[in-house]
Amino acid sequence: MTASPSDLRSLAQAGAEALRAGDARQARACFQRVITAGGGDAAVWLGMAIACNALKDGRAKLDALEEALALDPRNLRALIMKADHLAEAGDARAASAFYSAALKVAPPAGQLPVEAQQEIRRAQAMVARYAADYEAHLRERLASRGLAVEGASRRFAQSLDILMGKKQVYVQQPLYYYFPELPQVQFYDRRDFPWLDAVEDATDDIRSELLEVLRVEGAFVPYVQAKTNRPVQKYDGMLDNPSWSAFYLWKDGAIVPANATRCPRTLEALADAPLSRIPGRTPSILFSLLRPGARIPPHHGMINTRLICHLPLIVPPGCGFRVGNDTREWEEGKAWLFDDTIEHEAWNGSDETRVILLFDVWRPELSVEERERVAAMFEAIDEYAGAPADWQI
């Protein structure tokens, strides 16, 4: 006699109740009857696996787990049980893959019962253990061949961190224009930009001009401002927020005369900088102010044909900056260049204001002809549109 759907549901429920009561044999018998009758869904097969595990029947447990995962590849409990089985069998790489898969599909801890949260923490610990063992093996083998990681290039060391899951891959994601085949570099090597010497040497003069500007009420304006001709966006609380403010010497490719006349030494220091000159768009030269406790959320820049330079002027402790995987602290008078089309963010964890000089320059990989063509292209775009696009920088 064929079992009805309601009979199968009752049998499956009886199996689950038997598991909770600790009667693995009864649970297995109930689940087997459901499966034989063709009613074995992922939950039934998982129940069968749990029962077989309690009965020390490893072969049957594995078969049941594979059936459960075939029906529901994202089943959290089945993934962890499969990982445990592989770990017991000594297959560390396969076990790590299943623990990792479980962590990827797991909902936030607050949405899981206490027992499941404990299983997730155990999976995390197992993944970390396997990763540490794997990394130790790689480092030992490389060292045995005279190729220790400690003596490797920064790029190779970073590749190992990505391989081990310590870092992730960040790439250029410009919001407006992408120039192909440029290197994916987060922070550039300071030594490749000798013109920065003059900028750094002028730090005291630039800071003195900044301090005079800071004495003027209302000199700084919010960096992100709402536009009546653009849809309102949230910007994670930074829209029209004076916590992130700017004082422009150049803006959208044009000098701001009233501001520039107050900071002549600042502009003199940039005389040899290869400023990214696109009429109506770049360069922008500004003092960027971040108030105590403020955070600039992760974001991407507009075009990847330029780099952004920071010259730190007032930097209290607790301020930080991240580009991709690389997190750094500003040091007053020490400039750096980075690709702002790679995800980046900044924060001021102090109770004082942080201020830097910020400006944009051409990427060194672009030829003079390519720079001219990019600039001419944007001029043509703006002629067609009737006005430049609204860029923050």
Side-chain angles (χ1 to χ4, degrees), residues 106-337:
Q111 299 178 16
L112 292 170
V114 174
E115 182 180 351
Q117 292 180 34
Q118 293 172 345
E119 287 293 279
I120 290 299
R121 286 193 292 270
R122 187 170 62 81
Q124 290 170 335
M126 293 297 289
V127 168
R129 191 187 101 190
Y130 286 134
D133 290 346
Y134 184 33
E135 182 177 3
H137 167 77
L138 293 181
R139 286 178 174 272
E140 186 278 326
R141 295 300 297 154
L142 287 168
S144 71
R145 299 181 61 180
L147 299 170
V149 175
E150 288 71 21
S153 68
R154 180 181 56 82
R155 292 189 300 177
F156 179 79
Q158 186 177 14
S159 77
L160 187 60
D161 285 340
I162 292 172
L163 176 65
M164 301 311 304
K166 291 182 175 180
K167 295 182 178 179
Q168 66 184 85
V169 176
Y170 286 95
V171 297
Q172 297 162 3
Q173 298 182 62
L175 300 178
Y176 193 88
Y177 174 70
Y178 178 76
F179 193 102
E181 300 182 19
L182 295 175
Q184 307 283 342
V185 179
Q186 295 167 172
F187 284 95
Y188 274 66
D189 191 326
R190 163 67 179 81
R191 295 171 296 181
D192 294 335
F193 303 91
W195 54 264
L196 273 175
D197 293 344
V199 179
E200 292 180 339
D201 289 344
T203 296
D204 290 342
D205 290 335
I206 296 172
R207 185 188 295 110
S208 294
E209 293 180 340
L210 164 66
L211 292 174
E212 290 300 317
V213 172
L214 288 171
R215 291 190 176 96
V216 179
E217 185 72 25
F220 281 75
V221 297
Y223 184 82
V224 182
Q225 298 184 42
K227 305 293 184 180
T228 58
N229 62 341
R230 292 292 186 275
V232 175
Q233 301 184 45
K234 293 183 179 180
Y235 292 104
D236 290 329
M238 298 309 295
L239 184 66
D240 293 325
N241 187 340
S243 292
W244 182 20
S245 297
F247 179 82
Y248 285 92
L249 309 184
W250 277 64
K251 191 176 191 301
D252 299 333
I255 196 167
V256 182
N259 293 348
T261 56
R262 298 165 65 177
C263 304
R265 285 292 295 119
T266 300
L267 294 180
E268 286 176 17
L270 301 183
D272 294 329
L275 298 173
S276 175
R277 297 187 182 275
I278 302 176
R281 294 177 182 261
T282 69
S284 287
I285 304 171
L286 61 139
F287 294 125
S288 176
L289 180 152
L290 197 61
R291 298 193 185 280
R295 190 177 194 99
I296 301 172
H299 62 288
H300 299 85
M302 303 299 294
I303 57 176
N304 70 331
T305 53
R306 64 184 178 179
L307 300 176
I308 304 299
C309 182
H310 286 176
L311 175 68
L313 300 170
I314 301 174
V315 185
C319 295
F321 188 66
R322 177 185 68 84
V323 181
N325 289 302
D326 199 341
T327 299
R328 301 184 179 185
E329 294 183 359
W330 289 280
E331 183 179 347
E332 293 181 3
K334 301 295 184 182
W336 63 41
L337 288 150

Side-chain angles (χ1 to χ4, degrees), residues 75-93:
N75 189 293
L76 181 61
R77 182 74 182 277
L79 286 168
I80 292 178
M81 286 188 67
K82 179 72 176 286
D84 289 341
H85 179 87
L86 292 165
E88 292 169 4
D91 192 343
R93 295 186 66 181

Side-chain angles (χ1 to χ4, degrees), residues 277-279 371-381 383:
R277 297 187 182 275
I278 302 176
R371 297 176 187 185
E372 291 175 351
R373 289 182 181 277
V374 168
M377 177 197 67
F378 276 110
E379 288 188 78
I381 290 172
E383 288 172 2

Side-chain angles (χ1 to χ4, degrees), residues 16-89:
E17 291 173 353
L19 279 180
R20 287 192 290 270
D23 190 343
R25 291 188 181 280
Q26 179 61 28
R28 179 174 183 171
C30 291
F31 292 133
Q32 186 60 61
R33 290 176 62 188
V34 176
I35 292 167
T36 301
D41 59 13
V44 168
W45 281 108
L46 177 60
M48 174 65 83
I50 295 171
C52 291
N53 183 58
L55 295 170
K56 310 298 183 185
D57 189 341
R59 181 68 259 175
K61 175 190 70 174
L62 182 59
D63 290 343
L65 285 173
E66 290 177 348
E67 292 287 350
L69 289 171
L71 293 167
D72 181 8
R74 296 170 59 86
N75 189 293
L76 181 61
R77 182 74 182 277
L79 286 168
I80 292 178
M81 286 188 67
K82 179 72 176 286
D84 289 341
H85 179 87
L86 292 165
E88 292 169 4

